[in-house]
Amino acid sequence: MTDMIFILKISLKGLEPEIWRSIEVPAYITLDRLHDLIQIVMGWEDTHSHQFESNQQIFLDTSGNVNYGKEEGYVQVRELISSESKKLTYVYDLDDHWEHEILLANHYLDDSWEDEEYDEGYQFQPVCLDGKGTCPPESVGGVDGYLNFCEIMKNQNHKEYQNQLKWYQEMSWKKKFKEDDFNVDIVNYQIARYMRWSRDRCTEWI
């Protein structure tokens, strides 16, 4: 099967230094599965609502009887990102409003079908290429809340340090907070597990 492969750069807006991930996905991937991958590569827990935004249109999971926007499960990324319109917005946690910019950084043809060992059942394996920065904790209060949290974590003498550390440990199951705790190998292991045990979606991969 010959198809276009997209290299997408996903960046959290409003933070410096930038928190970002670079991933390879088939151009035909639907938004609901892209949502799943964003959750994995960024490090979110998928405990809040989300939506995609493109050209003043909203795409979301309508299984919760949401009465606005279009069902994301039937829209492919290549329908929204092209050479004319290269960006897509993904918002996670509509209260904290974590806005992600999805940029089409590059693309190429998947020519695996030309390989002598080509398997007719072949399907492209999404992969995380690179990234930087630790994902903010869930329900931290958006950009402002996260910046305040980071300042507290830098000062063990801060009066809120112990309370915030305990809260973070309970939220993340990690002992300490590090602003750059990203491991691409762990992320790709999680993607591989997702590909094998992926939940049902509106359409098949291919």
Side-chain angles (χ1 to χ4, degrees):
M1 176 181 177
T2 304
D3 214 312
M4 191 68 69
I5 302 301
F6 281 175
I7 299 177
L8 305 178
K9 182 181 179 183
I10 305 166
S11 305
L12 261 179
K13 299 187 70 173
L15 294 175
E16 289 291 342
E18 185 181 48
I19 298 175
W20 62 274
R21 308 287 186 260
S22 176
I23 62 173
E24 277 188 341
V25 297
Y28 56 77
I29 190 174
T30 49
L31 294 182
D32 53 355
R33 293 191 184 278
L34 181 60
H35 156 71
D36 292 341
L37 290 175
I38 292 173
Q39 290 288 311
I40 293 170
V41 302
M42 292 302 298
W44 297 117
E45 299 292 339
D46 203 6
T47 56
H48 298 279
S49 299
H50 71 276
Q51 64 187 36
F52 289 91
E53 300 170 2
S54 176
N55 296 324
Q56 299 183 331
Q57 290 185 303
I58 294 176
F59 306 89
L60 66 168
D61 177 5
T62 62
S63 61
N65 297 319
V66 178
N67 57 9
Y68 70 95
K70 297 183 178 180
E71 170 56 56
E72 63 185 23
Y74 297 103
V75 180
Q76 297 181 349
V77 171
R78 60 183 169 187
E79 297 175 47
L80 304 178
I81 299 181
S82 67
S83 58
E84 292 79 25
S85 177
K86 294 186 176 182
K87 294 182 181 179
L88 177 64
T89 297
Y90 170 80
V91 179
Y92 174 62
D93 187 344
L94 303 186
D95 290 325
D96 280 6
H97 198 83
W98 288 110
E99 185 173 341
H100 304 65
E101 178 186 80
I102 303 174
L103 172 69
L104 176 58
N106 207 343
H107 62 277
Y108 65 91
L109 281 175
D110 178 14
D111 57 1
S112 301
W113 62 276
E114 296 180 352
D115 193 313
E116 293 182 358
E117 298 181 359
Y118 173 72
D119 181 353
E120 290 186 1
Y122 165 82
Q123 85 179 20
F124 183 83
Q125 170 78 48
V127 63
C128 183
L129 302 174
D130 202 358
K132 192 75 173 177
T134 301
C135 183
E138 298 275 352
S139 305
V140 74
V143 171
D144 291 340
Y146 178 61
L147 294 176
N148 181 60
F149 171 78
C150 288
E151 286 302 312
I152 294 173
M153 288 296 96
K154 292 176 183 177
N155 180 10
Q156 295 188 23
N157 294 320
H158 194 287
K159 63 180 181 179
E160 290 296 320
Y161 178 83
Q162 291 299 329
N163 287 335
Q164 288 291 294
L165 178 61
K166 181 179 179 181
W167 171 81
Y168 176 73
Q169 290 171 339
E170 292 173 348
M171 288 288 293
S172 67
W173 298 94
K174 296 180 179 179
K175 292 182 178 180
K176 293 183 179 180
F177 171 75
K178 299 178 181 178
E179 288 192 54
D180 189 15
D181 187 20
F182 171 74
N183 187 312
V184 70
D185 293 329
I186 292 176
V187 168
N188 280 319
Y189 171 74
Q190 293 170 337
I191 291 176
R193 284 177 56 85
Y194 165 74
M195 290 293 292
R196 183 172 183 181
W197 305 110
S198 170
R199 55 182 155 171
D200 291 338
R201 284 307 197 178
C202 295
T203 62
E204 297 295 331
W205 271 97
I206 299 174

